[in-house]
C-alpha cells in the first residue's frame, strides 16, 4: 500500500503519530493509499522550520519573491497533466475539470506575480513642518491554511500564492481525502526557488487542525470547508488571538425571470448544477423560476437533459461528471434524496439507481431533479453537495429575491434575464456575497476577491485579490520628523493636532 508523507522543512517526512487515513480511488471504490494523520508534534516541527526561515524569506525583495512565483507558474504548467491525473484519481472529477481546478489556482499565482506593486505602501510628504508619514505592509510570519477536498489545487493556491508572495511562511493542512496534489505543489514551490520551510504540508484531521489553532506561533489561519467546521475554526482561532478567515458551505440559487432565454438557462443549469457531481461551493443547487409558466417550461427542458447526463470514469473525455469523493459522502447525498421525497418534493428525475458497469464499487450517482421544493424543507435549508438540482417555484420577483436573501447561506447567486433594470435591482438588493447576471457560477477572477455572506463565511476579509494581500500583511505607519537646523520644541502635554 502506497504511504504518503508530510512535507516539512523541504523534505518528505513520515507520519509519527501512528494514525492514518485511507485515500480512496472513487472510480473503483478501492483504497489506493494511506495518509499520515499528524499529531501536535509534527505540526510543531513544521512551525519551527517556518520560524527558522521566515527572517530570510521575508527580507528577500518582493521582485525576487515574484520571480519564484513566475517559476512556480511555469513548473505547474509543465506538470499540468500529471497534476490533473493525480487530482482526478483521488477526487473523482473528470480530467478537464481537474485541469480547470489547477488553472484557477494558477490565476492566483499570476496575480501574486504582481506583489512588488501590491505591497507598496502610501506616503504623505510634508504632513506637518518637517513631517512625513508613510505606511508599509509587512508579512505576518507563520500562517496556515486548512483546505477542503473539492478543490485540492485551486484553494491551497488561493491561499499560499498570496501568503508566500507577501513574505510569509505557509503551512497547508489539506483535506485527508485528496492530499497528493497539495504535496506535489509544495515540492514544485521549492523547485521554483522558495527556500525549505516556506511552503510545507502537514496532513491530518481534527487533531492537526487543533494543533494549528492552538499554536502560539501561527499568526493567521485561512479555512475553507463546511460551515460547522468553519465556525469552529473561526471561534477557536480568534479566541487564540489569530487572524482568521473561514469560508463555509453554500446553497446557491439561480433566479429565472419569465423573459430569460430558457434554452440557454437550461444549458447553464445543467453545467453548474451537475458539473463535478455538484461538489462545488459555487454549484447552482436551487433554480427559482418565476411564475408557473416559466417553471413548467423549465422543468420540461431540464428533465430530458438530466436523464441524459453522462456519468463516467474521471478519465473518460465524454463524461459530464465522475464519481463522488467517498462512499460516506455518496450515502449522505442518497439520504437527502430520500428525505426530499418524504418531505413532499416532487422527484422528477431519480438518479439513485445509476450503476456504472464494471465499477460496481465506485461512488457513482446519477443526476436527480426535484420540483416543488419549499423553504421549510430540510433538504432546501441544508447543503446537499451532490448531483441534485432543486426547483423552488416563486410567484413573483419579490418572492424570488427573498429566497436567497433569507437563506442561511449566502455564497453565490445568479439571475437570468434580459431586463437590465431587474438585474441591476437584484444585484443591489440580494443578500449574497457573489452575484452572477446571466452567469451561473460567478467565481470572481483572481484579481477580485472571493467570499460569501452569512454562514458561508466567518471573518471579515475575503480570499485572494487585494483582500488576500490585506489578510496576509499588517500595516505599519511611520510618522517622521526631521527638524531643520536642530530646532528644539518645548514639551507638550496635549495631544498633537493639525491646526
Ligand atoms: P470539511 O469541513 O469536512 O473539511 C474541510 C477541512 O476541515 C479539511 O481539511 C478537514 O480535514 C478539516 N476538518 C474536518 N472535520 C474537522 C473537525 N471536526 N475539526 C477540525 N477540522 C476538521 O469540508 P469538505 O467536505 O472537505 O469540503 C466541502 C465543504 O466545503 C462544502 O461545505 C463546501 O461548500 C465547502 N466549500 C466552501 C468554499 C467556499 O469558499 N465558501 C469553497 C469550497 C468548498
Amino acid at each position: 500500500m502506497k504511504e504518503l508523507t508530510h512535507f516539512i522543512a523541504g523534505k518528505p517526512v513520515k507520519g509519527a503519530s501512528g494514525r492514518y487515513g485511507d485515500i480512496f480511488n472513487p472510480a473503483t471504490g478501492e483504497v489506493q493509499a494511506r495518509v499520515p494523520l499528524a499529531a501536535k508534534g509534527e505540526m510543531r516541527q513544521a512551525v519551527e522550520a517556518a520560524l527558522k526561515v521566515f527572517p530570510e524569506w521575508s527580507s528577500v525583495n518582493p521582485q525576487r519573491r515574484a520571480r519564484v512565483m513566475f517559476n512556480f507558474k511555469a513548473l505547474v504548467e509543465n506538470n499540468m497533466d500529471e497534476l490533473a491525473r493525480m487530482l482526478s484519481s483521488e477526487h473523482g472529477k473528470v480530467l478537464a475539470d481537474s485541469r480547470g481546478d489547477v488553472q484557477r489556482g494558477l490565476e492566483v499565482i499570476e496575480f501574486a506575480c504582481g506583489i512588488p506593486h501590491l505591497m507598496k505602501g502610501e506616503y504623505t510628504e510634508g504632513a506637518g513642518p518637517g513631517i512625513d508619514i508613510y505606511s508599509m505592509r509587512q508579512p505576518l510570519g507563520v500562517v496556515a491554511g486548512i483546505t477542503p477536498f473539492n478543490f485540492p489545487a485551486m484553494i491551497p493556491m488561493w491561499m499560499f500564492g498570496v501568503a508566500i508572495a507577501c513574505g510569509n511562511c505557509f503551512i497547508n493542512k489539506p483535506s485527508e481525502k485528496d492530499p497528493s496534489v497539495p504535496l506535489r505543489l509544495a515540492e514544485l514551490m521549492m523547485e521554483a526557488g522558495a527556500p525549505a520551510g516556506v511552503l510545507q504540508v502537514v496532513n491530518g484531521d481534527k487533531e492537526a487542525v487543533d494543533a494549528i489553532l492552538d499554536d502560539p506561533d501561527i499568526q493567521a489561519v485561512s479555512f475553507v470547508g463546511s460551515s460547522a467546521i468553519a465556525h469552529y475554526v473561526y471561534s477557536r482561532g480568534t479566541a487564540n488571538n489569530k487572524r482568521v478567515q473561514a469560508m463555509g458551505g453554500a446553497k446557491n440559487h439561480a433566479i429565472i425571470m419569465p423573459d430569460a432565454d430558457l434554452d440557454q438557462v437550461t444549458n447553464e443549469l445543467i453545467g453548474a448544477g451537475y458539473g463535478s457531481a455538484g461538489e462545488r461551493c459555487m454549484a447552482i443547487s436551487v433554480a427559482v423560476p418565476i411564475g408557473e409558466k416559466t417553471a413548467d417550461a423549465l422543468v420540461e427542458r431540464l428533465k430530458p437533459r438530466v436523464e441524459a447526463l453522462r456519468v463516467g470514469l474521471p478519465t473518460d473525455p465524454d463524461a459530464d461528471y465522475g464519481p463522488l469523493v467517498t462512499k460516506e459522502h455518496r450515502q449522505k447525498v442518497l439520504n437527502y434524496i430520500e428525505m426530499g421525497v418524504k418531505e413532499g418534493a416532487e422527484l422528477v428525475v431519480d438518479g439513485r439507481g445509476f450503476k456504472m458497469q464494471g465499477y460496481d464499487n465506485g461512488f457513482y450517482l446519477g443526476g436527480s431533479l426535484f420540483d416543488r421544493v419549499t423553504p421549510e424543507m430540510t433538504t432546501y435549508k441544508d447543503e446537499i453537495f451532490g448531483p441534485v438540482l432543486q426547483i423552488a417555484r416563486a410567484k413573483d420577483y419579490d418572492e424570488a429575491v427573498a429566497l436567497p436573501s433569507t437563506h442561511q447561506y449566502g455564497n453565490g447567486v445568479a439571475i437570468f434575464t434580459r431586463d437590465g433594470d431587474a438585474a441591476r435591482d437584484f444585484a443591489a438588493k440580494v443578500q449574497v456575497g457573489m452575484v452572477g447576471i446571466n452567469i451561473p457560477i460567478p467565481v470572481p477572477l483572481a484579481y477580485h476577491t472571493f467570499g460569501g455572506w452569512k454562514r458561508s463565511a466567518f471573518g471579515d476579509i475575503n480570499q485572494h485579490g487585494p483582500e488576500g494581500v490585506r489578510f496576509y500583511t499588517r500595516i505599519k505607519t511611520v510618522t517622521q520628523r526631521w527638524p531643520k537646523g536642530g530646532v528644539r520644541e518645548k514639551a507638550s502635554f496635549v495631544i498633537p493636532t493639525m491646526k
Side-chain angles (χ1 to χ4, degrees):
M1 173 76 54
K2 188 175 165 196
E3 190 173 313
L4 301 186
T5 60
H6 308 300
F7 191 77
I8 299 177
K11 287 191 297 285
V13 171
K14 276 179 157 263
S17 71
R19 292 195 311 121
Y20 292 88
D22 286 336
I23 299 179
F24 289 91
N25 176 349
T28 62
E30 286 159 4
V31 176
Q32 56 168 314
R34 59 179 201 159
V35 57
L37 303 175
K40 216 170 165 180
E42 290 140 287
M43 190 60 73
R44 191 59 208 168
Q45 216 183 318
V47 172
E48 279 166 14
L51 284 171
K52 202 164 145 218
V53 73
F54 175 67
E56 175 195 337
W57 180 242
S58 55
S59 56
V60 167
N61 74 53
Q63 214 167 347
R64 291 213 169 133
R65 292 202 302 264
R67 282 182 199 143
V68 172
M69 292 294 149
F70 276 111
N71 294 343
F72 177 72
K73 173 176 145 58
L75 283 168
V76 172
E77 280 165 348
N78 292 343
N79 287 277
M80 180 64 95
D81 286 344
E82 175 212 349
L83 287 163
R85 263 198 306 279
M86 200 181 254
L87 201 159
S88 286
S89 84
E90 292 182 355
H91 177 289
K93 63 175 82 172
V94 295
L95 278 173
D97 206 28
S98 290
R99 279 193 204 97
D101 189 332
V102 179
Q103 179 56 33
R104 284 308 290 253
L106 270 189
E107 290 170 12
V108 176
I109 303 299
E110 286 168 354
F111 168 76
C113 288
I115 204 67
H117 176 68
L118 293 164
M119 276 187 80
K120 280 193 303 204
E122 294 174 331
Y123 196 96
T124 304
E125 186 192 15
I131 296 177
D132 309 311
I133 303 175
Y134 64 93
S135 64
M136 53 182 140
R137 294 211 157 266
Q138 295 190 320
L140 305 176
V142 183
V143 298
I146 301 157
T147 49
F149 82 83
N150 70 326
F151 280 100
M154 176 183 82
I155 294 180
M157 284 193 263
W158 277 3
M159 300 175 182
F160 74 65
V162 182
I164 291 176
C166 288
N168 299 284
C169 296
F170 188 92
I171 301 171
N172 185 195
K173 202 305 285 170
S175 168
E176 60 275 47
K177 292 174 188 144
D178 49 10
S180 289
V181 168
L183 280 165
R184 184 77 186 111
L185 293 176
E187 285 173 3
L188 293 175
M189 186 59 86
M190 264 196 79
E191 217 177 297
V198 167
L199 177 58
Q200 304 181 87
V201 177
V202 179
N203 286 303
D205 55 5
K206 177 170 168 36
E207 202 172 325
V209 170
D210 288 348
I212 289 174
L213 298 175
D214 295 342
D215 194 300
D217 289 317
I218 295 179
Q219 306 295 326
V221 179
S222 182
F223 173 91
V224 177
S226 55
S227 289
I229 316 287
H231 187 248
Y232 167 76
V233 166
Y234 181 75
S235 309
R236 188 155 167 172
T238 51
N240 286 333
N241 297 322
K242 297 184 195 314
R243 190 178 282 194
V244 182
Q245 54 177 193
M247 277 55 195
K251 192 88 177 182
N252 307 312
H253 296 60
I255 312 299
I256 297 116
M257 298 280 281
D259 69 350
D261 173 349
L262 285 189
D263 291 324
Q264 182 62 38
V265 169
T266 303
N267 285 343
E268 307 285 17
L269 293 180
I270 287 289
Y274 299 93
S276 199
E279 293 170 324
R280 287 185 185 138
C281 68
M282 289 293 272
I284 291 289
S285 41
V286 185
V288 185
I290 296 177
E292 290 297 314
K293 208 171 132 209
T294 315
D296 291 342
L298 184 69
V299 175
E300 194 186 309
R301 284 169 172 77
L302 278 172
K303 184 172 183 284
R305 294 289 297 275
V306 178
E307 284 167 343
L309 281 168
R310 287 194 58 147
V311 185
L313 288 174
T315 47
D316 176 355
D318 295 326
D320 295 323
Y321 68 86
L324 277 78
V325 68
T326 57
K327 193 173 175 183
E328 288 71 33
H329 186 59
R330 180 178 178 276
Q331 189 56 49
K332 188 178 141 192
V333 177
L334 282 170
N335 295 346
Y336 271 121
I337 298 174
E338 199 174 315
M339 187 192 293
V341 173
K342 285 198 183 126
E343 286 181 321
E346 186 186 318
L347 187 56
V348 179
V349 183
D350 184 353
R352 288 176 292 180
F354 177 83
K355 287 263 175 297
M356 182 75 187
Q357 246 190 345
Y359 295 88
D360 288 348
N361 296 324
F363 312 140
Y364 300 92
L365 199 54
S368 292
L369 178 68
F370 274 109
D371 192 6
R372 300 185 192 281
V373 172
T374 53
E376 68 287 351
M377 293 179 182
T378 304
T379 48
Y380 172 77
K381 292 178 192 155
D382 288 4
E383 178 184 49
I384 298 177
F385 221 56
V388 182
L389 179 65
Q390 297 170 297
I391 296 175
R393 297 175 175 228
K395 68 174 184 309
D396 56 26
Y397 172 76
D398 288 341
E399 193 178 293
V401 181
L403 283 171
S405 295
T406 55
H407 200 280
Q408 62 163 334
Y409 295 118
N411 216 38
V413 72
I415 186 167
F416 291 94
T417 183
R418 293 180 169 107
D419 179 344
D421 281 348
R424 195 164 175 273
D425 184 74
F426 179 77
K429 277 193 188 144
V430 71
Q431 298 296 299
V432 173
M434 291 173 280
V435 181
I437 297 173
N438 298 317
I439 300 273
I441 305 187
V443 178
L445 290 181
Y447 43 94
H448 287 266
T449 71
F450 184 104
W453 287 11
K454 300 180 280 184
R455 280 185 67 76
S456 293
F458 303 91
D460 309 307
I461 306 186
N462 276 1
Q463 299 278 348
H464 65 70
E467 293 260 300
V469 177
R470 273 179 63 208
F471 184 76
Y472 288 113
T473 54
R474 34 172 94 87
I475 198 152
K476 186 181 273 177
T477 310
V478 179
T479 307
Q480 63 176 2
R481 179 170 61 189
W482 297 102
K484 271 213 184 98
V487 178
R488 297 221 166 83
E489 288 186 10
K490 284 188 197 145
S492 169
F493 297 95
V494 294
I495 179 123
T497 57
M498 276 296 157
K499 290 202 201 89

